[in-house]
Amino acid sequence: MNPHNEGAAAAVHAAASVPVRSRVLRRSLVAGALAAGLVAAGALPATADDTAATTDLTLTATVDGTNAVLGDDFQGFSVESADFAHGYLTRERMAERLRTLGSQGVIRLGGYSMDLVWPAFGEWAGAPAPAEAIGGTVDQSDLDHLKQLLDATGWKVTLGVPLKKIIDPSKIKNPTRDPSPAVSLDQVVAEVTAAYRTLGDDLLGVELGNEYDNVTTLTDAEMWETAKQYRSAIDQALPHADLKIVGPSANTAKTNTHLEGFVSAALADGSTQPQQVLAELSSHWYPWSHCGSSTVTVDQLMSPLTYTNTRNKLAGITAVDDQLHGTIPMTINESNTASCSGMPGVSNSYATALWSLDYLLQTAQSGVDRLQFHTNTTGVCGDFKPRDSADYPISYRYYGAFCAADQAALDADQLSANPLYYGIWAFRQVPQGRFVDLDLADEHLDKLRAYAVKGNADTLTVVLINVQDPTRVGSTNDAVTLNLPSAYHTGSQVTLRSTAPEGFASLDAGQISLGGQTVSPAGVASGTPQAAAVPVDHRSATVTVAPGTAQIVTFS
């Protein structure tokens, strides 16, 4: 640990032991040295724009012992199986980028290319990959590199395996679109066996296909039976591993119809219990789309509609969780701004930094157990390749967390942080604890998002996000008066901001900072950690948040 981070690290670790939740969240990233450093001494420049008008808001924080608990492994990444098959998940390329976000995390290997890779294990180790395997070949060398990455970072993985060629072929919706290589269930089991023997307990579960409702006509009940089939085959090969299934990973609809149907089938099955089959109940969520002719704007991404649609989606997931009495983790294991690789000029804009911080906190507060952003692991910034290109599915995605400035940087494993990464990094500054209620009315969602977490040592962390574009006429400072749940003596704040004149539309991630720090192309935090004092009058404090910034305020 960097010596100047130690004082703040103590505050983070002091909040480590939290009460068991009504719905305990396992957080996938631990705040590392950077997180501690951001509360180090040092003054930030004033964050409010003195020329902007001010909107006065008052929020009252109320402690509720039944709220969700923010634990240590909430956030992670989702990565295409093709990226894994092409050898991009190496220690040299990825380790520093993961470590900067913390010493715990979960990588989901899957996505659309899950059915387009060739597992070369067991008797298939020497077999040539068929032409349909456009996602590449996964072999033992890929597992060895993955193991090195996990050992270097403390992260874990879930492994996605093919589905389409194993089920009844008449159940494939469009067999001529990206036809899958002929992978058998025995071949899948051989891959899972090799993965477990290489990764051990770092392998958390086996995901069964990707968005089965998009690519097959399987009913929810048939998908449940298929999950049981895979679980049984894996258990026969690895009887002591207790490896379970991640699913159903249905599409990104606003409703949860398939999740509900899948769980209903599982609960109606008298032959087994859902907990005996499932490691996670997984869902996907993209609030917007860039598929076909669909588009999204920055204004739409930052709108109250995005927030309320997401709130409804999360409420449906947690309602299913209630049916299972919280016995199986509920995850959103693939998500981002807009499906189909994101929207250029939006998904890679500064707005995404604030949106992702807001979305992570909203999801954690709902009681969902993990949120994983879909990202590329290779690519030159802006060099997007469509799905039908010769390079697919190795393609830069506009919603990626990092990309290389040019080919030379990519060859040197120098991946620069994108706005999404900064939003995740900001989220990592919120320590463990239980969420506290803030009475922010929906009528103010066009100006502010607000969250509060009470740590075990009676610290209170409040995150205030001004979602107004700083370049827009009429945007205001948010002067937020906080009625605190108990008396506090000191307060400090860390700011997420961009200095780019384009505001939310800026595509220059180099202008983004968090507490005065940036992330270098080597993946490590650079710059001097800075925090500003916040005056506290026992149970009251006022924080001014400039348009297009977020304040992470800690009271102690």
Side-chain angles (χ1 to χ4, degrees):
M1 175 174 287
N2 191 323
H4 70 254
N5 290 333
E6 290 179 357
V12 171
H13 293 305
S17 300
V18 294
V20 177
R21 63 153 168 132
S22 58
R23 186 178 289 114
V24 175
L25 303 179
R26 282 167 298 242
R27 195 176 185 188
S28 62
L29 305 176
V30 170
L34 163 72
L38 289 179
V39 296
L44 283 176
T47 60
D49 179 356
D50 293 336
T51 64
T54 297
T55 298
D56 294 319
L57 298 166
T58 299
L59 301 179
T60 298
T62 305
V63 174
D64 185 334
T66 66
N67 282 351
V69 168
L70 187 59
D72 262 345
D73 62 348
F74 177 76
Q75 195 276 324
F77 286 119
S78 167
V79 173
E80 286 287 334
S81 296
D83 283 29
F84 177 44
H86 284 84
Y88 298 137
L89 292 175
T90 65
R91 179 180 55 201
E92 295 77 14
R93 180 183 292 261
M94 298 298 298
E96 290 298 341
R97 284 146 197 86
L98 301 184
R99 277 197 291 255
T100 294
L101 295 177
S103 60
Q104 292 185 38
V106 179
I107 301 171
R108 174 245 187 179
L109 303 174
Y112 182 75
S113 59
M114 196 182 298
D115 272 299
L116 300 175
V117 297
W118 180 253
F121 300 93
E123 64 183 88
W124 296 271
E132 296 87 353
I134 64 172
T137 298
V138 176
D139 59 22
Q140 186 60 45
S141 67
D142 297 311
L143 290 174
D144 292 341
H145 284 129
L146 179 61
K147 176 61 173 173
Q148 292 172 1
L149 175 63
L150 300 182
D151 286 346
T153 62
W155 286 48
K156 299 181 183 297
V157 298
T158 60
L159 176 67
V161 296
L163 170 69
K164 288 167 65 176
K165 282 296 183 180
I166 295 167
I167 64 174
D168 181 346
S170 69
K171 297 287 186 177
I172 304 300
K173 280 187 177 180
N174 189 352
T176 63
R177 181 180 184 235
D178 291 336
S180 304
V183 177
S184 67
L185 183 55
D186 287 341
Q187 190 174 354
V188 167
V189 171
E191 178 183 12
V192 173
T193 299
Y196 180 74
R197 289 174 177 168
T198 305
L199 307 177
D201 292 340
D202 287 343
L203 178 61
L204 299 181
V206 178
E207 186 175 9
L208 177 53
N210 181 71
E211 298 185 359
Y212 75 97
D213 51 322
N214 275 343
V215 298
T216 81
T217 60
L218 290 173
T219 65
D220 302 328
E222 288 170 337
M223 185 61 178
W224 166 247
E225 290 298 325
T226 305
K228 288 169 56 182
Q229 177 189 11
Y230 275 64
R231 164 69 169 140
S232 176
I234 292 169
D235 195 48
Q236 288 181 31
L238 296 165
H240 304 296
D242 197 31
L243 272 177
K244 297 177 184 177
I245 300 301
V246 175
S249 301
N251 71 26
T252 185
K254 294 178 182 178
T255 62
N256 295 286
T257 304
H258 291 291
L259 181 67
E260 294 164 354
F262 181 80
V263 169
S264 293
L267 290 173
D269 185 353
S271 67
T272 188
Q273 296 295 316
Q275 300 88 333
Q276 296 173 301
V277 176
L278 298 171
E280 299 175 15
L281 270 165
S282 55
S283 300
H284 293 178
W285 175 238
Y286 293 85
W288 297 96
S289 172
H290 191 215
C291 302
S293 60
S294 299
T295 61
V296 59
T297 66
V298 166
D299 286 347
Q300 288 174 315
L301 180 66
M302 302 303 292
S303 69
L305 179 62
T306 299
Y307 181 93
T308 54
N309 282 345
T310 299
R311 182 171 63 191
N312 292 338
K313 178 73 174 182
L314 295 171
I317 293 172
T318 56
V320 173
D321 186 32
D322 291 341
Q323 294 182 55
L324 295 165
H325 307 292
T327 56
I328 301 174
M330 310 292 291
T331 64
I332 299 178
N333 70 344
E334 182 182 321
S335 190
N336 217 298
T337 48
S339 53
C340 293
S341 295
M343 183 75 195
V346 177
S347 300
N348 55 340
S349 72
Y350 170 61
T352 302
L354 296 181
W355 167 81
S356 56
L357 172 60
D358 179 33
Y359 177 33
L360 281 160
L361 287 162
Q362 183 185 19
T363 304
Q365 188 175 42
S366 77
V368 167
D369 292 273
R370 189 188 307 132
L371 171 58
Q372 291 163 279
F373 286 106
H374 204 50
T375 184
N376 53 284
T377 57
T378 187
V380 175
C381 299
D383 185 19
F384 180 77
K385 296 176 175 65
R387 193 182 61 80
D388 57 356
S389 75
D391 291 325
Y392 180 83
I394 312 166
S395 62
Y396 170 73
R397 295 173 178 83
Y398 285 109
Y399 51 47
F402 20 69
C403 58
D406 51 35
Q407 187 61 46
L410 183 60
D411 294 341
D413 293 328
Q414 299 289 298
L415 300 180
S416 299
N418 276 342
L420 173 66
Y421 191 95
Y422 278 94
I424 300 167
W425 193 28
F427 171 73
R428 292 303 301 140
Q429 312 317 308
V430 183
Q432 299 174 60
R434 189 179 293 278
F435 278 95
V436 170
D437 290 333
L438 291 176
D439 56 345
L440 178 66
D442 281 5
E443 65 186 272
H444 300 309
L445 290 175
D446 62 336
K447 293 181 174 59
L448 182 71
R449 311 292 163 80
Y451 304 89
V453 175
K454 190 173 188 295
N456 196 46
D458 286 334
T459 59
L460 181 71
T461 299
V462 178
V463 180
L464 302 171
I465 307 167
N466 188 326
V467 293
Q468 300 171 89
D469 192 331
T471 66
R472 175 157 301 171
V473 174
S475 291
T476 64
N477 293 318
D478 291 332
V480 184
T481 297
L482 296 166
N483 294 321
L484 304 173
S486 55
Y488 291 92
H489 299 289
T490 62
S492 65
Q493 63 186 14
V494 168
T495 306
L496 174 65
R497 59 150 65 90
S498 171
T499 57
E502 299 86 357
F504 280 171
S506 171
L507 305 183
D508 185 359
Q511 300 299 312
I512 305 173
S513 64
L514 177 62
Q517 291 192 289
T518 61
V519 178
S520 75
V524 298
S526 60
T528 303
Q530 298 174 343
V534 175
V536 186
D537 184 10
H538 299 290
R539 299 188 62 164
S540 179
T542 298
V543 179
T544 299
V545 192
T549 69
Q551 297 287 2
I552 303 171
V553 188
T554 301
F555 297 103
S556 58

